[in-house]
Amino acid sequence: MAKATEATQVSDHGGGVRSIRVPIPDNPLGYTLIYVLDTDAGPVLVDTGWDDPTSWDTLAAGLTACGTSVTDLTGVLITHHHPDHHGLSAKVREASGAWIAMHEADAAVVRRTRENAPARWYAYMAAKLTAAGAPDEHVAPLLAARDAGRPRRLPGLDPALPDRTITPGDLLDLPGRRLRAIWTPGHTPGHVCLHLEEDHPAQLAGNGRLFSGDHVLPGITPHIGLYEDPDDATVTDPLGDYLDSLERVGRLAPAEVLPAHQHPFTDAPARVQELLDHHESRLTGLLGLLATPLTPWQLAERMEWNRPWADIPYGSRNIAVSEAEAHLRRLVKSGRAEAVTGSDPVTYAAVS
């Protein structure tokens, strides 16, 4: 059982592993669990948190409570590129000189994010949403932003370029520790879990401990949408990637999972099975909706979300459509649904 220090949002998980609850502003998730891993070369972070002054202050105070400081950090391991994980990486490196490591597939996303002009991104998103059947009034703001040369006002749009690559299967170069990278695509193309191949400090049965990022969480399911790349027309299958990655983690059977949100938990195989069952149930439910041909937008309108479609904000609708498309791709790839020939925008129907 981790020992928590409420005032500094720090928990000690034993064996040279602690976590800091770094807040995510205006987000129902509340915080990202940033892990501090002691090594013989100095402390290393697993993720860094959201780029926000309060988040930075919380991270710094948490490191002080751990008996170290930002300036003492020697490295940063990024599970994936999202801003609640990678947002503070540049500030950490600037303050400490620490290296930053990331899987190449997510490093490529970071490079695209930094290099793509806002107008190109707006045009790309407008085209994707139009192809998905979004109504003109939803696409219009993106086209207006493109034509006005408006900058993108979203977090994480100038993320730090990593200077090391996390290679799947390799033991990471962390003196005194055995930490192995496991590629778990789905939530992002380059998401990694990090397997601490050491006995559990409380001698729990199982195969070490797993820093799971957003791949496996104890009570919620991560967003699985399309991998967005204006330069690549490859038809990917993110949900298929995610389900395969889940099974990989289930077979690993770690003694304890240290996720990036909520709280640590045990019995990873049982949680993996719950997630596999959840997605199979959802796919089966979508087949019922596809008894009538639907565009991805129409499918998203009819899917079950945490609030009615009418109450879902603009940006969240884009995420919802991306998730609907990811599910459609899985159904098509598994032969359970197909595109309706000649439809424009394309509609999909269940295969009878």
Side-chain angles (χ1 to χ4, degrees), residues 6 21 85 130 256 270:
E6 184 176 354
R21 292 187 176 196
H85 297 258
T130 298
E256 186 176 28

Side-chain angles (χ1 to χ4, degrees), residues 17-338:
V17 178
R18 283 150 294 187
S19 63
I20 305 169
R21 292 187 176 196
V22 174
I24 309 172
D26 302 318
N27 189 294
L29 278 175
Y31 56 85
T32 305
L33 289 169
I34 306 306
Y35 292 94
V36 185
L37 178 65
D38 293 339
T39 81
D40 290 348
V44 168
L45 292 185
V46 177
D47 292 333
T48 59
W50 194 274
D51 185 4
D52 176 80
T54 299
S55 304
W56 173 256
D57 291 345
T58 303
L59 178 64
L63 287 167
T64 298
C66 291
T68 184
S69 69
V70 174
T71 57
D72 292 332
L73 295 171
T74 60
V76 176
L77 298 164
I78 298 298
T79 61
H80 61 295
H81 70 82
H82 287 164
D84 55 325
H85 297 258
H86 184 43
L88 285 171
S89 297
K91 285 187 172 65
V92 168
R93 181 164 58 190
E94 182 180 354
S96 65
W99 47 260
I100 300 170
M102 181 185 290
H103 188 282
E104 172 53 31
D106 270 22
V109 176
V110 169
R111 288 193 292 271
R112 289 198 303 272
T113 301
R114 293 170 62 95
E115 294 167 4
N116 270 322
R120 185 172 187 220
W121 186 259
Y122 286 129
Y124 170 72
M125 289 302 298
K128 280 179 62 70
L129 285 162
T130 298
D136 292 344
E137 60 267 24
H138 185 87
V139 178
L142 292 167
L143 297 176
R146 177 201 63 186
D147 296 342
R150 192 178 307 157
R152 293 171 66 203
R153 296 185 180 87
L154 293 171
L157 294 180
D158 193 23
L161 287 168
D163 30 48
R164 293 190 182 185
T165 298
I166 295 177
T167 303
D170 282 4
L171 278 174
L172 302 178
D173 184 17
L174 301 177
R177 308 308 299 242
R178 286 188 59 86
L179 189 68
R180 193 176 302 276
I182 302 173
W183 185 34
T184 50
H187 185 53
T188 71
H191 191 291
V192 292
C193 293
L194 302 167
H195 183 213
L196 194 57
E197 297 179 342
E198 302 169 11
D199 290 340
H200 192 281
Q203 301 303 309
L204 297 182
N207 188 12
R209 290 185 281 180
L210 186 74
F211 299 102
S212 69
D214 281 1
H215 184 62
V216 184
L217 303 170
I220 54 179
T221 58
H223 164 70
I224 309 296
L226 299 186
Y227 303 148
E228 294 172 344
D229 181 355
D231 300 318
D232 190 351
T234 303
V235 179
T236 57
D237 180 17
L239 182 53
D241 292 345
Y242 179 66
L243 298 175
D244 289 345
S245 301
L246 275 179
E247 293 185 345
R248 191 174 310 133
V249 167
R251 290 191 296 270
L252 183 65
E256 186 176 28
V257 177
L258 303 174
H261 303 287
Q262 299 188 304
H263 55 81
F265 61 98
T266 57
D267 202 354
R271 179 59 183 148
V272 163
Q273 191 58 55
E274 287 178 357
L275 290 165
L276 291 170
D277 291 346
H278 163 79
H279 282 286
E280 181 54 37
S281 175
R282 198 171 199 202
L283 288 167
T284 300
L286 296 187
L287 285 175
L289 295 174
L290 293 171
T292 300
L294 298 172
T295 66
W297 179 276
Q298 290 169 334
L299 182 62
E301 287 180 312
R302 291 159 174 78
M303 289 171 68
E304 184 176 337
W305 306 104
N306 61 1
R307 67 190 93 173
W309 182 258
D311 296 338
I312 295 178
Y314 180 90
S316 297
R317 288 190 179 192
N318 296 340
I319 294 171
V321 173
S322 180
E323 189 156 328
E325 290 194 275
H327 282 75
L328 280 168
R329 287 194 183 179
R330 177 89 294 259
L331 288 170
V332 170
K333 190 165 184 177
S334 61
R336 291 190 280 177
E338 60 187 6

